Amino acid sequence: MPNVSRIIELAPVAQYLASNDVAKGSLFGKPKIDPKLPITIYMVYKIVKKIYDLDPDYTGVKEVALYLYELYQRYAFKAAAIVDNSTGGQVAPPTPGGVLPFPYDFEVTAISTPLADGESSVTLTTFIGYNIAFNRSGIPQSTVDLGGSFYSWNRITGAFSVSPAAVSGELFQIIPIG
Amino acid sequence: MALSDPNFTATQSLAYNNLITLSDTSIGIDLTLTNRRVYILTATGSYLVPSGTTTNYFDWSYANSQIQVDVLTQSTAPQITVEWYAGSTLMYTKTITFDFDLGDYVFMLGILASQTSSPGVLQDSNYYNSSIQFIVNLFNSENAIEYGDDIWSAQGALNANQKLIENESFYF
């Protein structure tokens, strides 16, 4: 399940994907998609985004964001591929000698992406197929849990998680290394 | 020395939608300034002032870069004018239109949160139509301010939403 910021990020693309499906259903016989779905997605997205941008911890934001995700879940994978500038469809392994994706290099804040304050897991679709290196406030992190901080990375699914959770003010560097 | 760009911002509180915070964002320094006056003009021609204020404006001491006032009773699209004074002499003026509609967003978030426990309510045409109307009014009010500085059209849209809010049990 993506986090709230990711849900909001994908919603506009999912909306027009739903619109396309509605149009195809109208053109080619019995509609299979609720014709109200695109507008419903936009309606929920507009409310959630406005309040999330002002206060990510506002009561009710996460629940309504999850509802938004449920509305467009069938389009989530394709929307993610479009948002992350890939060609869509099946995710292919990187071509040897190809250009690596840009690393994530950011300060953790209440609204930072891909991880915000208090969050500990996210799906990094652009890094699928790659190994990564993760530095936390300048300290290289290990995948081995020795009781301190560590991280986990699944290059097949793109699942990335950190322990402990991200804290505001930390410098996170997530670097694909081939 | 003078203010090269007298300016200010006004933001509405998400937690307390009746509160507005004004911040002086002027560029430059003018050591002669002593006070500011703030006029919050609504589309109906009335002025919003804190309770107990007998004038159309309220004072904002130049010693404070920010001031928070309790003036809103519903979503409002006002025209705010700030005047900078050196004693009794008017030195600078800045007027900006705003769209304080967070109360409507908070209301709609509550409606959506309730809806997630009974998703079938979307099939109720009255509920769905009212929700869409609400969003369209929000969209219209924001566009009226952003692209036209039109507080009258914006307030008309917000007033339409206020009717939906006050009759929630009928429309949703």
Side-chain angles (χ1 to χ4, degrees), chain B residues 32-96:
Chain B
T32 66
L33 296 175
T34 56
N35 191 40
R36 309 177 191 84
R37 284 183 183 176
V38 182
Y39 297 81
I40 303 180
L41 176 66
T42 68
T44 61
S46 62
Y47 290 87
L48 299 180
V49 292
S51 176
T53 304
T54 57
T55 56
N56 288 335
Y57 62 89
F58 57 91
D59 289 310
W60 175 12
S61 170
Y62 194 68
N64 301 322
S65 61
Q66 282 191 340
I67 186 172
Q68 188 175 69
V69 290
D70 179 357
V71 293
L72 298 178
T73 56
Q74 67 170 75
S75 289
T76 305
Q79 174 182 286
I80 300 181
T81 299
V82 175
E83 297 177 340
W84 285 260
Y85 282 83
S88 59
T89 304
L90 176 62
M91 302 296 289
Y92 315 95
T93 299
K94 180 77 175 187
T95 299
I96 307 174

Side-chain angles (χ1 to χ4, degrees), chain A residues 36 39 43 46 54 67, chain B residues 105 115 128 132 135 142:
Chain A
K36 300 193 301 290
I39 297 178
M43 182 175 72
K46 182 172 173 67
L54 293 171
Y67 170 66
Chain B
Y105 280 93
Q115 175 189 306
Y128 180 74
I132 294 299
I135 297 297
E142 291 169 0

Side-chain angles (χ1 to χ4, degrees), chain A residues 2-11 72 80-81 83-84 122-123 125:
Chain A
N3 57 28
V4 175
S5 65
R6 182 64 167 174
I7 292 173
I8 293 173
E9 183 183 25
L10 298 180
Y72 72 70
V83 168
D84 296 336
V122 68
T123 300
T125 54

Side-chain angles (χ1 to χ4, degrees), chain A residues 50-62:
Chain A
K50 178 79 169 188
I51 297 185
Y52 180 81
D53 286 347
L54 293 171
D55 183 359
D57 296 322
Y58 194 84
T59 302
V61 165
K62 183 176 181 180

Side-chain angles (χ1 to χ4, degrees), chain A residues 69-131:
Chain A
Y69 184 72
E70 288 296 316
L71 285 175
Y72 72 70
Q73 190 175 20
R74 72 182 74 194
Y75 304 107
F77 183 77
K78 190 169 184 179
I82 293 171
V83 168
D84 296 336
N85 292 315
S86 74
T87 55
Q90 296 297 317
V91 177
T95 302
V99 178
L100 293 173
F102 286 115
Y104 286 106
D105 192 355
F106 63 99
E107 177 187 358
V108 176
T109 67
I111 59 171
S112 58
T113 57
L115 282 169
D117 178 59
E119 295 178 344
S120 60
S121 63
V122 68
T123 300
L124 304 176
T125 54
T126 53
F127 290 175
I128 288 176
Y130 295 95
N131 295 314

